[in-house]
Amino acid sequence: MDVEEKIDALRKELREHNYNYYVLDNPTISDFDFDMKLKELQELEAKHPEFYDANSPTIRVGGMVTKNFATVVHEHRMYSLDNSYSLEDLVDWEKRIQRNLGDVPVQYTCELKYDGASISITYEEGKLVRAVTRGDGFQGDDVTTNIRTIKSVPLQLKGDFPAKFDIRGEIVLPFDGFQKMNEERIENGEEPYMNPRNTASGSLKLQDSALVAQRPLECLLYAIVGNNTGITSQFEMLEKAREWGFKVPSAAKLCESTDEVMAFVDYWDVHRHELPYETDGVVVKVNSLQYQEELGYTAKSPRWAMAYKFKAEQVFTVLNEITYQVGRTGAITPVANLEPVLLAGTTVKRASLHNADQIEKLDIREGDTVFVEKGGEIIPKIIAVDLSKRPADSQPTQYIDHCPECHTALVRTEGDAKHYCPNEYGCPPQITGRIQHFISRKAMDIEGLGGETVELLFKEGLIDDYADLYDLTKEQILPLERMAEKSADNLIKGVAESVKIPFERVLFALGIRYVGETVAKKLAKAYKNIDALSVATQEELEAVDEIGERIAESVVDFFRNERNLDAIERLKAKGIQFELSAEKLENQTDILNGKTIVVSGVFETVSRDELKKLIEDNGGKVGSSISSKTSYLVAGDKMGPSKRTKAENLGVPIITEQEFLGMI
Ligand code: AMP
Ligand code: ZN
């Protein structure tokens, strides 16, 4: 086999694997084997630029940057859809069609209306040549480089496809991918994205296609346009598109009557919440393409199609009362208590009002009829007030100035949107919140003790701070409500076992404001024990890597407080770890100082978590995604193909587990 044949064969094979994985959701080879083949192809392509192909599977990782997206005129206009919201609308529409076509039997294809960004992709001789956004329907932006990175978009078609056609679809961002992106953003201190739809359409206009490649976008297709495609109906169109390698959702149905159409709508109005991506209605289309042609278009939309919008995921309801919640840190959150209302498949009774400014801005008052919205995943929020329904005796909302729990005057610091209750040690939700944080999984991880029991123990006067947990006796807790012999034993045992929790987690558990998991690790490493940390000055603290003024100030404040010092003394007496373990001290080095290391895949001699710990213990930083700042990628088995190619493109050294262990 010569080089060109080898390249062709690899491209063909990888294409098939991509299809199995991303379109059929049914992979037939391991990620590792896929990576090896992709790497082989990349190397061959690099050595033989004469065989370059813009549709090679290696293009999926992106890397091309578009400064300005060129405007492209659509060869076939991209129309909007008319909307209907009721059975009557739909029946009227059907009557108009029958009137137009004469009294012939008409079939309808029902599909889901995917909520994302529309796209038109041109294929010539089975190859993707161009992808253009809808724009104003007449012309859109050329986003081809970005679309090529979406794995479910075929770059090369299979089967018996027409020489040239456009295919239309919707680029969507499935919920779980959206959620993951947001979790990562929150972790990085960035604002989370609002909803999957805007994020999907924003993704198409990113300049760096490598960023687009990292987003778990999908392309769902629904229409083929072109001359001489040989297709005669909408339903056949969907089947053909599937055959050629496109991702066409299976939830499409050929219906003989409006009743069947309505049954489809009713079914999906409920079951759409089980789908992995957002939908906002059903699109009903006259099935026969010949009839479609006879019916034609209005100025803006086809006469042969109709979008039936699902009941809006926004509803009006009455706001009965505004109450205020006090968090662990004393932050006040106003909550709207609503007249229960059905929204996006669940009954909504409460919505967050965020802060005083938000209430003032929208002039939200008790007794108001408010407009509540729920975007896929996020807690409901109030977006407007129906002023026409405001009661005559309505009064503007007076934001509270005293804590609803302990009646202390609230404070509000410059630049902070929230009010706080400053009564840290006397305010019940702050006391229990602090103890709940202390026992939580990432802190002391006390088994056999939950948040509700903490509240109960506090109410019964058995605990006032976290150190009190270690003085609890079985005799004290057995009489409590719902406390059985066994659960009492478990609680005592769970508390006792927490003395094994290492110093850095104890430090996190103490609940010093702004001292999260990562900062706690830094401080533990820098000071080695609590005594040294407790006497550190503001300046000394700020000299520690990644510790800023705000954190330093908070740490100093914490150790100035007698109550905290007392609690620490009592915890010490119970044997809680207040210094780094000898083993840890021994194993700690600065070898990896200044290095950011990403780990990916499955490892043999150490677990992934152990690996991360080793990196940190040796002064390195664990990175979550590969960037030009990454020092090394430690690659395990089954690592995703995109990570590897990304590292290669950026010139990040890829090392094995053994090589890493050798380094330290
Ligand atoms: P609208 O934006 O409300 O005018 O609705 C028209 C848009 O719905 C089209 O531009 C498509 O992007 C989108 N759409 C989503 N799913 C479908 C589908 N199954 N058939 C046709 N259009 C769809
Ligand atoms: Zn309070």
Side-chain angles (χ1 to χ4, degrees):
M1 212 192 296
D2 69 14
V3 174
E4 190 174 8
E5 282 168 349
K6 180 78 198 160
I7 288 180
D8 271 351
L10 275 169
R11 283 178 182 163
K12 192 151 174 256
E13 193 185 346
L14 288 168
R15 209 170 276 138
E16 193 61 30
H17 289 311
N18 259 327
Y19 173 74
N20 290 337
Y21 191 101
Y22 292 104
V23 178
L24 302 183
D25 294 319
N26 184 21
T28 55
I29 96 172
S30 74
D31 285 3
F32 178 78
D33 290 339
F34 182 92
D35 283 358
M36 296 314 285
K37 288 186 196 291
L38 189 70
K39 191 164 174 220
E40 188 182 355
L41 177 58
Q42 270 174 326
E43 282 166 1
L44 285 174
E45 286 182 348
K47 260 190 249 154
H48 298 277
E50 67 271 28
F51 301 129
Y52 174 80
D53 179 355
N55 288 329
S56 167
T58 54
I59 296 295
R60 301 291 194 187
V61 293
M64 292 248 272
V65 173
T66 315
K67 278 270 174 285
N68 292 299
F69 294 97
T71 304
V72 177
V73 175
H74 293 296
E75 194 176 328
H76 307 272
R77 183 175 159 192
M78 290 180 85
Y79 285 89
S80 288
L81 291 171
D82 282 339
N83 290 326
S84 61
Y85 299 91
S86 66
L87 175 62
E88 292 79 70
D89 288 351
L90 210 60
V91 170
D92 282 349
W93 174 64
E94 201 204 1
K95 276 193 196 134
R96 284 200 299 278
I97 284 171
Q98 290 288 358
R99 215 178 312 129
N100 258 308
L101 294 176
D103 231 357
V104 290
V106 180
Q107 291 180 316
Y108 299 92
T109 297
C110 291
E111 295 159 46
L112 289 170
K113 190 168 188 293
Y114 323 113
D115 201 10
S118 35
I119 193 79
S120 178
I121 314 179
T122 304
Y123 285 83
E124 285 175 17
E125 308 300 339
K127 293 191 189 330
L128 187 159
V129 295
R130 203 176 308 105
V132 184
T133 63
R134 181 163 98 168
D136 62 3
F138 295 98
Q139 54 183 43
D141 293 318
D142 185 334
V143 290
T144 313
T145 30
N146 286 344
I147 294 300
R148 279 195 217 275
T149 67
I150 300 175
K151 319 286 187 302
S152 56
V153 174
L155 301 176
Q156 166 71 55
L157 303 182
K158 344 192 277 176
D160 187 18
F161 44 79
K164 181 174 189 294
F165 65 92
D166 290 352
I167 187 159
R168 265 94 199 248
E170 199 82 357
I171 307 291
V172 298
L173 186 56
F175 291 123
D176 62 343
F178 174 72
Q179 207 125 341
K180 253 186 231 135
M181 277 174 67
N182 267 350
E183 279 163 18
E184 228 166 82
R185 285 180 75 82
I186 290 166
E187 216 170 276
N188 295 338
E190 296 163 315
E191 275 290 303
Y193 291 117
M194 283 296 282
N195 61 51
R197 190 211 313 124
N198 292 355
T199 315
S201 66
S203 302
L204 298 189
K205 301 300 286 292
L206 289 175
Q207 293 191 340
D208 181 358
S209 62
L211 293 178
V212 185
Q214 283 172 28
R215 298 193 172 181
L217 298 164
E218 289 220 32
C219 182
L220 309 174
L221 296 135
Y222 54 75
I224 293 164
V225 288
N227 309 315
N228 309 319
T229 58
I231 296 171
T232 63
S233 77
Q234 173 65 26
F235 202 75
E236 185 191 351
M237 199 183 267
L238 300 178
E239 287 176 328
K240 286 284 181 212
R242 252 180 230 125
E243 268 174 45
W244 301 336
F246 293 102
K247 188 154 193 161
V248 178
S250 57
K253 187 167 187 282
L254 192 56
C255 295
E256 307 286 339
S257 66
T258 332
D259 283 347
E260 279 183 45
V261 170
M262 277 318 287
F264 183 90
V265 169
D266 289 340
Y267 179 85
W268 284 107
D269 199 357
V270 176
H271 292 273
R272 69 192 170 112
H273 298 296
E274 295 153 19
L275 292 169
Y277 42 77
E278 222 163 353
T279 54
D280 63 343
V282 166
V283 186
V284 190
K285 299 170 187 171
V286 169
N287 190 45
S288 151
L289 296 197
Q290 192 199 324
Y291 288 166
Q292 286 190 4
E293 217 175 285
E294 279 178 46
L295 290 162
Y297 298 81
T298 67
K300 136 182 181 304
S301 41
R303 289 201 186 84
W304 46 264
M306 179 61 87
Y308 185 99
K309 289 295 198 92
F310 290 132
K311 268 173 253 105
E313 303 210 69
Q314 293 175 329
V315 284
F316 279 109
T317 189
V318 174
L319 191 170
N320 290 327
E321 193 192 5
I322 296 175
T323 54
Y324 300 84
Q325 273 177 354
V326 187
R328 160 169 84 86
T329 60
I332 308 290
T333 303
V335 177
N337 294 269
L338 307 167
E339 194 55 36
V341 65
L342 200 64
L343 177 60
T346 52
T347 302
V348 172
K349 297 189 195 108
R350 292 146 74 82
S352 168
L353 292 167
H354 304 290
N355 55 50
D357 293 344
Q358 182 75 4
I359 294 177
E360 201 180 308
K361 198 171 101 203
L362 298 177
D363 186 19
I364 297 170
R365 307 177 183 187
E366 289 181 350
D368 271 346
T369 296
V370 293
F371 202 31
V372 187
E373 183 183 79
K374 188 168 174 185
E377 56 304 313
I378 326 161
I379 40 161
K381 60 175 184 200
I382 291 178
I383 51 174
V385 173
D386 183 350
L387 293 177
S388 71
K389 298 221 174 77
R390 175 166 282 173
D393 60 351
S394 160
Q395 293 293 320
T397 297
Q398 284 290 324
Y399 203 80
I400 50 167
D401 48 18
H402 285 75
C403 176
E405 304 282 345
C406 72
H407 313 293
T408 306
L410 299 180
V411 294
R412 193 179 194 185
T413 42
E414 265 302 306
D416 202 330
K418 294 221 175 221
H419 287 72
Y420 285 87
C421 165
N423 184 17
E424 244 178 291
Y425 297 94
C427 184
Q430 295 191 60
I431 295 170
T432 52
R434 213 165 21 240
I435 301 172
Q436 284 158 349
H437 167 74
F438 183 84
I439 66 168
S440 65
R441 206 172 47 81
K442 291 185 166 179
M444 301 302 278
D445 192 19
I446 296 186
E447 268 177 56
L449 180 57
E452 277 175 33
T453 311
V454 167
E455 270 164 28
L456 189 62
L457 291 168
F458 170 72
K459 225 172 60 201
E460 296 293 326
L462 293 175
I463 55 173
D464 227 4
D465 63 28
Y466 35 65
D468 292 339
L469 290 172
Y470 295 85
D471 292 328
L472 287 173
T473 62
K474 191 169 164 187
E475 292 67 43
Q476 282 178 315
I477 56 179
L478 251 183
L480 296 181
E481 218 179 301
R482 271 179 295 151
M483 186 65 73
E485 183 87 20
K486 180 120 194 276
S487 41
D489 282 339
N490 284 343
L491 197 163
I492 300 287
K493 187 163 147 247
V495 169
E497 275 178 1
S498 70
V499 299
K500 291 189 207 132
I501 298 293
F503 177 44
E504 62 273 18
R505 276 173 59 184
V506 174
L507 197 51
F508 170 60
L510 294 180
I512 307 172
R513 193 181 277 187
Y514 309 128
V515 177
E517 264 185 290
T518 323
V519 172
K521 279 184 198 160
K522 290 264 172 234
L523 291 174
K525 187 158 184 289
Y527 287 92
K528 316 260 189 294
N529 62 58
I530 197 100
D531 296 334
L533 178 65
S534 66
V535 296
T537 65
Q538 170 100 17
E539 295 74 47
E540 283 164 3
L541 285 161
E542 282 182 42
V544 177
D545 185 30
E546 280 177 58
I547 307 294
E549 187 186 337
R550 196 180 59 147
I551 299 173
E553 197 176 285
S554 162
V555 172
V556 170
D557 278 352
F558 183 87
F559 288 108
R560 257 195 212 134
N561 189 312
E562 283 300 330
R563 276 173 189 273
N564 293 331
L565 296 177
D566 169 63
I568 289 170
E569 281 314 312
R570 283 187 291 141
L571 289 172
K572 262 187 190 168
K574 298 289 176 186
I576 305 296
Q577 309 282 321
F578 277 111
E579 56 185 37
L580 285 182
S581 66
E583 174 208 20
K584 199 143 211 171
L585 280 170
E586 225 163 75
N587 291 338
Q588 288 206 344
T589 73
D590 290 328
I591 292 172
L592 301 176
N593 241 355
K595 301 255 189 296
T596 303
I597 301 176
V598 174
V599 298
S600 180
V602 183
F603 300 93
E604 266 169 31
T605 34
V606 287
S607 74
R608 229 160 111 124
D609 284 340
E610 280 166 346
L611 203 58
K612 289 184 177 173
K613 206 168 133 283
L614 283 172
I615 294 172
E616 282 170 350
D617 286 351
N618 288 287
K621 202 169 143 186
V622 178
S624 58
S625 66
I626 297 166
S627 75
S628 55
K629 294 198 189 79
T630 308
S631 319
Y632 297 103
L633 168 63
V634 188
D637 196 16
K638 300 212 180 83
M639 183 178 79
S642 60
K643 276 228 169 91
R644 179 177 291 274
T645 21
K646 177 119 199 257
E648 280 168 357
N649 287 349
L650 291 170
V652 173
I654 302 174
I655 59 174
T656 64
E657 171 184 0
Q658 295 312 325
E659 284 169 327
F660 171 77
L661 294 174
M663 276 165 67
I664 52 173

